[in-house]
Amino acid sequence: MDITKGYSIAYKGLKNGTHDFAFKVGGALFEAYGSAEIMGGDCDVEVKLDKSETQLVADVTIRGDVVVACDRCLEECRVPVDFEGRLLVKFSDEVREYDGEILWLLPGEDEVDLAQYIYESIVLSLPYQRVHPEGGCDPEMLRRFRIVSDKEFAEIEDRAGAEPDNTAWGKLAELKERMEAGPQDDEK
Ligand SMILES: [Zn+2]
């Protein structure tokens, strides 16, 4: 089933006046739109739809959170989503492009599909900087991204001692050794 079809409102049969709708947004919607930055999420969408003869007014509230990569440590981090917006739906015999405020439908249509509006609203509402709260970053990752001198590196290795080392540091040390050994000439 096409996940994006789950965000349509069949308005044709509705009386004029306001009607409430609720939707859930999970990882599948972000996947369907091929989002490169949102890896998952959990949001509640409420739509208050005001229908009149000539147009539909949808007041949309989106609350919840999405999972993105932290700008500081690159580990997964949840950022809150808190969006309120109004989408106007009008009708025209001509096919007209959605301009971010007005969604144009042909008079013969009977459903309005909100999937793209909801998806774009979530993406646009994300904060510019996406980081864990202070102290919430993965300390191991932070250390790895810092440039360490050979001396510091040796000290870290010493501290790790002779214990079997399956930590990220152990793997990094192994990688460094291999790089310093240079390319292997097995073929000769
Ligand atoms: Zn972080």
Side-chain angles (χ1 to χ4, degrees), residues 125-173:
S125 76
L126 292 180
Y128 179 68
Q129 215 191 15
R130 299 150 200 174
V131 291
H132 286 111
E134 197 59 43
C137 283
D138 183 339
E140 197 71 13
M141 295 292 272
L142 287 185
R143 277 197 295 268
R144 284 181 67 178
F145 294 132
R146 222 183 61 189
I147 296 165
V148 290
S149 67
D150 283 350
K151 185 166 169 282
E152 281 175 302
F153 199 89
E155 281 168 7
I156 293 159
E157 279 184 315
D158 285 348
R159 250 178 283 146
E163 296 158 42
D165 195 353
N166 292 318
T167 63
W169 267 117
K171 287 176 195 142
L172 188 64

Side-chain angles (χ1 to χ4, degrees), residues 99 122 170:
D99 63 3
I122 292 173

Side-chain angles (χ1 to χ4, degrees), residues 1-8 28-29 32-33 113-116 119:
M1 197 195 97
D2 184 352
I3 179 77
T4 63
K5 295 280 181 282
Y7 301 91
S8 293
L29 184 70
Y33 280 101
D113 180 1
L114 298 176
Q116 189 175 353
Y119 170 72

Side-chain angles (χ1 to χ4, degrees), residues 66-139:
V66 293
V67 179
V68 295
C70 170
D71 290 335
R72 209 187 291 136
C73 73
L74 300 187
E75 287 292 289
E76 290 186 359
C77 137
R78 283 190 176 268
V79 294
V81 173
D82 190 356
F83 170 85
E84 281 180 37
R86 170 170 282 189
L87 177 69
L88 287 179
V89 183
K90 296 189 179 198
F91 303 91
S92 167
D93 285 321
E94 297 168 53
V95 175
R96 294 169 70 166
E97 297 236 338
Y98 169 56
D99 63 3
E101 277 175 33
I102 301 174
L103 183 68
W104 295 92
L105 295 182
L106 296 170
E109 296 193 50
D110 52 14
E111 276 192 356
V112 55
D113 180 1
L114 298 176
Q116 189 175 353
Y117 177 78
I118 291 169
Y119 170 72
E120 286 176 359
S121 299
I122 292 173
V123 172
L124 294 175
S125 76
L126 292 180
Y128 179 68
Q129 215 191 15
R130 299 150 200 174
V131 291
H132 286 111
E134 197 59 43
C137 283
D138 183 339

